[in-house]
Amino acid sequence: MMTETSHPPTAMPSFEQLGLPDHLLATLAEVGYETPSPIQAMCIPHLLAGHDLLGEAQTGTGKTAAFALPILVRLDLASKEPQALVLTPTRELALQVSEAFTRYARHLRNFHVLPIYGGQSMVVQLRQLARGAQVIVGTPGRIMDHLERGSLKFDALSMLVLDEADEMLRMGFIDDVEWILEHTPSTRQTALFSATLPAAIRGVAHRHLREPEEVRIRAATTTVEKIRQRYWLVRGVDKLDALTRILDAEEKLDAALVFVRTKIGTEELADKLAARGYAAAALNGDMTQGLRERVIEQLKNGSLDIVVATDVAARGIDVPRISHVINYDIPYDTEAYVHRIGRTGRAGREGVAILFVAPRERRMLKSIEHATRQPIEPIALPSREDVSSLRISQFKQKVLDTLADPDMEPGFFMNVVEEIVEENDLSSREVAAALAYLVQVGRPLQIEEEEGRGWEQATVLHPQGKPPRRESFVADAPRTRGARRDRNTTDAVPEKVFASGKTQRYRIAVGRDHGVTPREIVGAIANEGGIEGKLIGQIDLFNDFSTVELPALPSGLLATLKRIVVCNRPLDMRPFREDEALPARRPRSAVDSRRDDRSHKAAAKPWEKQAREKQVQEKRGGREKWISRSSGESRPSRKNAVQQGGRSFTNHTTSWKKRREQK
Ligand code: ADP
Ligand code: MG
């Protein structure tokens, strides 16, 4: 049977109506989910009823809860045997899904979920498996390993989910997936989720699903006139910083409606904006009707400029002043998007819609373009300098307006200033400067290092080389320094991408003159590019550029790395040509002599090839030796050392990763 929809938000059933038990309803209220997303509304009843399911929906539509919630309902927690298996294409996704299970199971006792993926220590995994878990979330390769070893037994398996099946196909895992399917009880319930359904995936569904319910989140087509649609690709700068720059620099911004996904999110973001001097408030379903009406009234009469809302709470708002709709969190489906942006461009005015799109949400962007039959243009984020000069010119205008204000009574205030001048032997310029300073506190004219600093630091590893805790990746405390990043800015790069084993030197446009350190480079490439630290080889710093040795990168990834900002500059990464003249000011040091016995060219000579093969083997053995490969010799004591004019730096990314694995 085929269910196809994208519900208008008004038709969405509640979580209660979907038949979820009280403890999950409580959890959902706590995590701030107001209503089920369309895919959740359509899948949860089928999965609770034990049917197989084929779900076609894009990233960001809320698939995880769509399968995790029914699984949690149907588990037998008295047993610790694996009863549900979720296969994901990447380790990053495996971790995300298993974190989601933990989040949704907070009121369940004796619940255990275990992520299992390649690259993690076998010893640790075996120990964890021996302890038992009802839900296993893993990448196909490692799950196969454990099945073959007998360390994982699926005799009690009753539910199986293939998440992002088309990604698994694209990455060449589909045979492994089928093998696993064949090694699980045929009585199991199976759900297959995929953004697209190419023939190969339909084939898998045909072979392994029994009379599946088909659910598709269809892209509806609508036209939105008078609304200029733009998007910003979430990269480098965190979303909050980006939002404030946009709010400051957008021309003709009167009032803005900012959409986030959760009720908690509305409050957090509104508080942060208010702390930065914006007239902002939250609007969500937890607020009483009276309170909501007041917020809307304030937005109408101009005592508020920014309202941060959830889809449900903003339904039907009609405030002609709303010049901008900002999709801070991407909507679940194109209809929700159309509904959101319809809050602007009202009463014959023009409207602007800005969408924040994380790299993994780009497919949703395409469907929105398709649905609205309009191209959505990318925007360049205004720089800190732009924002500063804008604030200064607004400030000047405010001073002039104040002088022209008939209510001001200039005589009285001039007397006060005069007194300060005389009593303290100051100039009136000095007094004016102090007053200007006072006025701008809370919304500084000069955007200082600190305010903008976070996103540069975000690319730098923890000073002690320790891992930032995962949680700290989530953008929070707006003015604090230190790593803060939105979790969804990075896609983990699957190891298979680098299967060729070739390395390449890349040139990046930051060097010593820009104050870069090797650690920042490693941090940026590892964190922002999602490339494991152990794959990052030798780094050489020059005056105005640096080189870094990496596995040969596919062009998509290279394009991503190009845009990463370090020390205020995009890396602009490109392959380094060995015949490129090295700059005159390059120091002659230990690096030079060492360079002579390194070969950066393709391994042409037999001994080089041999050395390369040896390195590849060593790598297979689980040790990180990319660095020594390039020097043609093994230097175990200097593993992952990076050089700066002859000095070595340890690649901390590797050491903390290893430490984590040993835990
Ligand atoms: P997908 O797997 O389809 O890419 P996810 O399951 O990862 O999507 O969900 C994307 C985001 O939406 C997550 O941050 C999740 O917490 C949030 N989310 C999911 N369902 C809801 C909901 N019903 N209400 C609010 N937020 C939700
Ligand atoms: Mg997902």
Side-chain angles (χ1 to χ4, degrees):
M1 201 221 295
M2 173 82 178
T3 328
E4 187 175 310
T5 203
S6 53
H7 283 285
T10 37
M12 202 64 65
S14 63
F15 281 115
E16 285 89 339
Q17 287 167 320
L18 295 181
L20 292 171
D22 288 344
H23 73 87
L24 286 181
L25 296 177
T27 305
L28 292 169
E30 285 157 20
V31 299
Y33 292 3
E34 256 179 344
T35 41
S37 70
I39 190 98
Q40 291 162 5
M42 288 190 289
C43 293
I44 290 174
H46 292 318
L47 291 176
L48 285 176
H51 299 145
D52 278 9
L53 188 132
L54 178 60
E56 188 179 343
Q58 278 129 349
T59 301
T61 48
K63 290 186 291 285
T64 318
F67 61 75
L69 298 173
I71 287 177
L72 289 174
V73 174
R74 304 187 71 221
L75 288 176
D76 170 13
L77 294 174
S79 151
K80 275 180 148 193
E81 299 276 294
Q83 297 158 44
L85 169 68
V86 181
L87 289 176
T88 66
T90 64
R91 126 202 162 123
E92 196 53 37
L93 272 173
L95 285 167
Q96 264 178 36
V97 169
S98 85
E99 279 168 15
F101 267 102
T102 309
R103 194 162 358 119
Y104 302 142
R106 63 204 281 181
H107 295 306
L108 274 182
R109 282 191 182 193
N110 299 324
F111 169 75
H112 300 279
V113 55
L114 186 57
I116 293 281
Y117 47 83
Q120 196 194 19
S121 140
M122 257 298 177
V123 181
V124 174
Q125 274 175 9
L126 290 172
R127 202 183 311 134
Q128 290 172 329
L129 280 168
R131 268 190 233 126
Q134 294 95 356
V135 177
I136 307 284
V137 184
T139 49
R142 192 50 78 91
I143 297 284
M144 275 177 82
D145 285 355
H146 283 290
L147 279 175
E148 278 173 334
R149 277 170 180 251
S151 40
L152 192 52
K153 291 210 174 57
F154 284 149
D155 306 329
L157 196 85
S158 55
M159 292 168 279
L160 196 153
V161 177
L162 306 179
D163 194 15
E164 309 212 354
D166 51 352
E167 276 302 295
M168 294 202 265
L169 173 72
R170 206 175 57 77
M171 291 167 60
F173 291 149
I174 212 70
D175 294 342
D176 297 357
V177 169
E178 292 213 40
W179 188 92
I180 294 169
L181 281 162
E182 281 151 19
H183 287 76
T184 56
S186 59
T187 50
R188 55 156 211 268
Q189 175 189 21
T190 314
L192 186 160
F193 290 96
S194 200
T196 55
L197 292 180
I201 297 296
R202 286 213 164 265
V204 172
H206 183 72
R207 284 188 292 280
H208 301 279
L209 269 52
R210 279 167 309 161
E211 297 171 31
E213 301 287 346
E214 293 194 26
V215 163
R216 181 190 301 160
I217 302 298
R218 194 190 43 189
T221 52
T222 327
T223 42
V224 272
E225 288 140 19
K226 295 197 313 242
I227 298 174
R228 184 159 170 235
Q229 301 181 69
R230 293 182 292 161
Y231 76 90
W232 174 63
L233 191 64
V234 179
R235 271 287 175 215
V237 182
D238 77 56
K239 291 211 274 188
L240 177 62
D241 192 1
L243 175 64
T244 59
R245 291 197 213 181
I246 288 171
L247 291 173
D248 281 348
E250 264 303 290
E251 279 173 28
K252 296 191 197 151
L253 188 142
D254 193 357
L257 189 57
V258 180
F259 281 95
V260 299
R261 284 199 164 175
T262 63
K263 292 184 260 193
I264 297 166
T266 62
E267 267 147 31
E268 282 175 359
L269 186 56
D271 285 350
K272 284 173 186 170
L273 290 172
R276 290 176 166 218
Y278 299 93
L283 185 72
N284 65 49
D286 275 356
M287 295 161 56
T288 61
Q289 184 62 25
L291 210 53
R292 278 191 268 173
E293 277 164 16
R294 211 174 81 209
V295 167
I296 292 168
E297 188 47 43
Q298 287 177 325
L299 186 64
K300 274 190 184 148
N301 69 25
S303 41
L304 278 176
D305 292 328
I306 297 158
V307 165
V308 185
T310 54
D311 289 282
V312 175
R315 190 182 295 156
I317 288 187
D318 186 12
V319 179
R321 261 190 85 212
I322 298 174
S323 57
H324 284 64
V325 164
I326 298 174
N327 294 276
Y328 191 84
D329 292 336
I330 201 164
Y332 295 116
D333 56 18
T334 54
E335 261 196 40
Y337 175 83
V338 170
H339 200 79
R340 285 179 178 189
I341 71 171
R343 303 304 100 212
T344 181
R346 301 188 78 83
R349 303 186 196 196
E350 292 190 348
V352 174
I354 297 174
L355 176 65
F356 286 9
V357 183
R360 63 192 290 266
E361 295 161 346
R362 268 184 280 204
R363 275 219 197 100
M364 181 57 99
L365 173 67
K366 288 281 158 248
S367 341
I368 291 173
E369 281 190 316
H370 184 75
T372 58
R373 299 211 187 95
Q374 271 187 29
I376 304 182
E377 315 144 40
I379 49 171
L381 214 53
S383 71
R384 217 168 295 154
E385 291 71 30
D386 294 342
V387 171
S388 232
S389 67
L390 254 152
R391 286 191 188 177
I392 290 169
S393 64
Q394 285 165 357
F395 179 75
K396 287 178 186 165
Q397 191 56 47
K398 202 165 164 186
V399 172
L400 295 179
D401 291 350
T402 308
L403 283 172
D405 185 342
D407 290 346
M408 187 183 113
E409 292 183 51
F412 174 78
F413 293 100
M414 282 199 281
N415 279 341
V416 175
V417 172
E418 206 82 329
E419 277 177 35
I420 304 176
V421 166
E422 277 164 17
E423 286 164 11
N424 302 284
D425 195 19
L426 293 166
S427 74
S428 36
R429 279 178 71 207
E430 282 169 305
V431 176
L435 294 173
Y437 173 79
L438 269 181
V439 171
Q440 56 93 66
V441 167
R443 198 173 153 73
L445 297 177
Q446 240 178 337
I447 308 200
E448 286 162 24
E449 273 299 87
E450 214 178 12
E451 192 177 350
R453 191 57 183 256
W455 59 275
E456 281 146 35
Q457 293 234 328
T459 60
V460 181
L461 288 178
H462 191 278
Q464 275 84 48
K466 274 192 272 168
R469 287 173 51 89
R470 282 189 71 81
E471 289 78 2
S472 67
F473 280 150
V474 180
D476 55 8
R479 280 170 207 256
T480 54
R481 288 156 163 261
R484 75 190 158 89
R485 260 175 70 221
D486 204 295
R487 193 184 286 226
N488 59 10
T489 53
T490 306
D491 288 350
V493 176
E495 276 170 48
K496 281 217 170 175
V497 168
F498 302 127
S500 76
K502 286 204 195 87
T503 57
Q504 160 77 45
R505 258 179 118 201
Y506 290 90
R507 180 192 194 280
I508 52 177
V510 279
R512 215 175 320 215
D513 289 351
H514 311 115
V516 78
T517 63
R519 202 166 68 186
E520 285 170 293
I521 296 174
V522 170
I525 295 175
N527 289 336
E528 304 279 329
I531 296 176
E532 268 190 276
K534 69 178 181 187
L535 299 177
I536 303 171
Q538 177 134 346
I539 295 176
D540 290 312
L541 298 193
F542 301 95
N543 290 332
D544 60 356
F545 73 93
S546 308
T547 61
V548 50
E549 193 182 21
L550 294 172
L553 302 171
S555 60
L557 187 53
L558 184 59
T560 301
L561 285 163
K562 252 190 184 92
R563 286 191 299 265
I564 291 178
V565 173
V566 175
C567 292
N568 251 333
R569 300 168 62 83
L571 286 186
D572 202 23
M573 183 182 281
R574 62 171 167 77
F576 182 68
R577 295 191 312 273
E578 298 308 328
D579 60 355
E580 262 182 281
L582 291 170
R585 276 165 66 213
R586 200 178 137 253
R588 283 206 68 83
S589 64
V591 181
D592 299 75
S593 49
R594 225 174 250 154
R595 182 179 311 282
D596 296 337
D597 53 53
R598 277 193 294 149
S599 167
H600 297 299
K601 299 192 180 95
K605 303 178 197 103
W607 63 267
E608 282 171 358
K609 213 167 150 199
Q610 234 176 5
R612 173 164 305 213
E613 272 158 17
K614 181 164 157 256
Q615 295 304 331
V616 170
Q617 259 167 8
E618 274 164 348
K619 190 174 163 280
R620 287 227 183 85
R623 292 268 67 92
E624 304 83 11
K625 296 246 172 95
W626 286 87
I627 187 77
S628 45
R629 174 210 294 194
S630 63
S631 62
E633 59 170 339
S634 194
R635 285 180 296 154
S637 60
R638 284 278 182 99
K639 233 186 303 155
N640 290 303
V642 287
Q643 294 179 333
Q644 182 190 29
R647 286 192 289 142
S648 310
F649 292 79
T650 304
N651 174 344
H652 289 288
T653 313
T654 305
S655 36
W656 68 251
K657 282 220 164 107
K658 270 195 290 185
R659 236 176 285 150
R660 187 162 57 172
E661 278 166 17
Q662 278 155 8
K663 270 198 203 132

